[in-house]
Amino acid sequence: MTTVAEVRERVRRLLGDVFGAPDDVDGSLVTEVAGTKVVTNVEAHGDRVDVGLSTSVLDDVASSEDLLRYVATQPVRLGSLRAVERADGRCSVGFVYTLLGETLDPEELRHAVEALADSTRQVRADLAWILGPGAAGPAPDDGDPVIALGPHPPPAVPPRMTWFQGSIAAALPDGWYAKESLTVLAPDGQANVILSSEPLDASIDARRYAEVQGELLAREFPRYTEIGRGDTALTGGIPAGWRQFRWSPPDGLPVTQLQLYAVPVPGRGYTATATSSDAHWAGYAELLRFIVFQAVLRPPPGAA
């Protein structure tokens, strides 16, 4: 029968081979992966030895209906996302996952550690948006701070930012209508923003436009999960609504999208849609949000 000590030593060696020697903190093996700490504990349960992995998403956050709904409905790649409430109304959010020690496979362990670290970063960014600025309390002490952006974009222009403005005009015969689209692409192809406009009924405002688009998404996108939504204002004080969500294309990997809706003039609706795969969203989130929320709308006369 395999002992706890034997499994623990094997886990220590496997983690060291891939991620570097783990720290031993009060009997737990702590591995840092891209700024996120994954804690490993080896324990006996009857005649079985378990290898338990865990990460901390947020350590001290106010419990709320939105938070608990997110934790309960969030699809995750691996393990379980849990919220533990305290008597003072605060709670902690984290991931847990268990492997069987006696049959532990090195590739399975590596994949589990990397997947939990990646999912932790994604969920932490999601909750920063849902909870708003300052609501998350202090960030977990793992070198990966919470970015509490709330519904507004970062205040400063990112380094080496330039601006692009479309340069095409076309005749519009009487009775015809025009749609337009501009695509901004990351150099590695892992993220993009599509900014577009279309004619609308003159009675539709930004709030109604966002509602209609949300109904369409929920109806047509497989495994659609809304992460958060809210209102904001674009350059020039133009009112707008936003929505962040995840879904799974039938022939592809799950993606995260951020969508913005605005109606700066009656009869013309504008949409900005930022897209990246779940696996790459955390790395692009800040830039994508900046592009979406800093979009400048200049509808020409008679744009509808």
Side-chain angles (χ1 to χ4, degrees):
M1 178 179 175
T2 306
T3 66
V4 168
E6 291 171 335
V7 174
R8 190 175 190 277
E9 185 54 35
R10 182 165 184 245
V11 169
R12 179 196 296 276
R13 186 175 66 254
L14 293 175
L15 291 173
D17 289 344
V18 179
F19 305 105
D23 295 327
D24 193 327
V25 182
D26 297 328
S28 299
L29 301 176
V30 181
T31 306
E32 185 166 323
V33 182
T36 296
K37 291 183 179 179
V38 180
V39 179
T40 304
N41 287 291
V42 180
E43 299 176 336
H45 293 277
D47 37 356
R48 187 185 75 236
V49 177
D50 288 340
V51 178
L53 306 178
S54 64
T55 62
S56 175
V57 177
L58 296 175
D59 278 336
D60 182 20
V61 60
S63 183
S64 68
E65 183 178 344
D66 287 342
L67 170 64
L68 297 179
R69 182 187 302 112
Y70 175 90
V71 171
T73 61
Q74 176 64 16
V76 295
R77 293 169 55 194
L78 191 73
S80 299
L81 179 62
R82 298 180 179 179
V84 179
E85 292 187 275
R86 303 197 308 250
D88 62 358
R90 309 289 288 180
C91 71
S92 299
V93 180
F95 276 98
V96 294
Y97 184 64
T98 302
L99 299 166
L100 186 60
E102 292 177 299
T103 57
L104 185 65
D105 178 79
E107 279 302 299
E108 182 184 20
L109 178 62
R110 179 193 62 79
H111 171 71
V113 170
E114 290 177 344
L116 284 187
D118 183 64
S119 295
T120 297
R121 291 191 296 273
Q122 291 182 37
V123 170
R124 193 174 292 158
D126 289 348
L127 290 179
W129 267 71
I130 292 171
L131 300 175
D141 184 20
D142 61 3
D144 190 11
V146 175
I147 303 173
L149 297 178
H152 299 290
V157 177
R160 301 177 62 185
M161 182 70 68
T162 59
W163 296 86
F164 178 86
Q165 182 174 337
S167 55
I168 298 174
L172 190 65
D174 187 37
W176 291 40
Y177 61 90
K179 294 185 175 183
E180 60 182 335
S181 179
L182 170 65
T183 302
V184 180
L185 295 166
D188 62 1
Q190 298 297 334
N192 66 76
V193 179
I194 298 176
L195 305 101
S196 61
S197 78
E198 62 179 344
L200 298 176
D201 186 284
S203 65
I204 297 177
D205 60 10
R207 187 176 296 276
R208 179 56 184 157
Y209 191 37
E211 290 175 354
V212 171
Q213 294 302 311
E215 293 167 1
L216 183 66
L217 293 170
R219 184 169 64 248
E220 297 190 359
F221 280 25
R223 295 189 63 191
Y224 173 82
T225 302
E226 184 174 289
I227 297 170
R229 58 178 165 173
D231 299 317
T232 189
L234 303 181
T235 300
I238 298 171
W242 62 269
R243 173 181 287 108
Q244 188 171 325
F245 54 92
R246 285 199 179 101
W247 65 289
S248 298
D251 56 349
L253 297 173
V255 299
T256 296
Q257 292 187 304
L258 170 65
Q259 203 163 68
L260 181 90
Y261 318 96
V263 183
V265 294
R268 197 76 190 173
Y270 287 76
T271 305
T273 304
T275 304
S276 185
S277 68
D278 280 6
H280 293 90
W281 177 264
Y284 281 104
E286 186 171 354
L287 274 177
L288 292 175
R289 289 167 180 153
F290 182 89
I291 295 169
V292 166
F293 285 105
Q294 292 288 358
V296 178
L297 308 185
R298 295 192 181 98

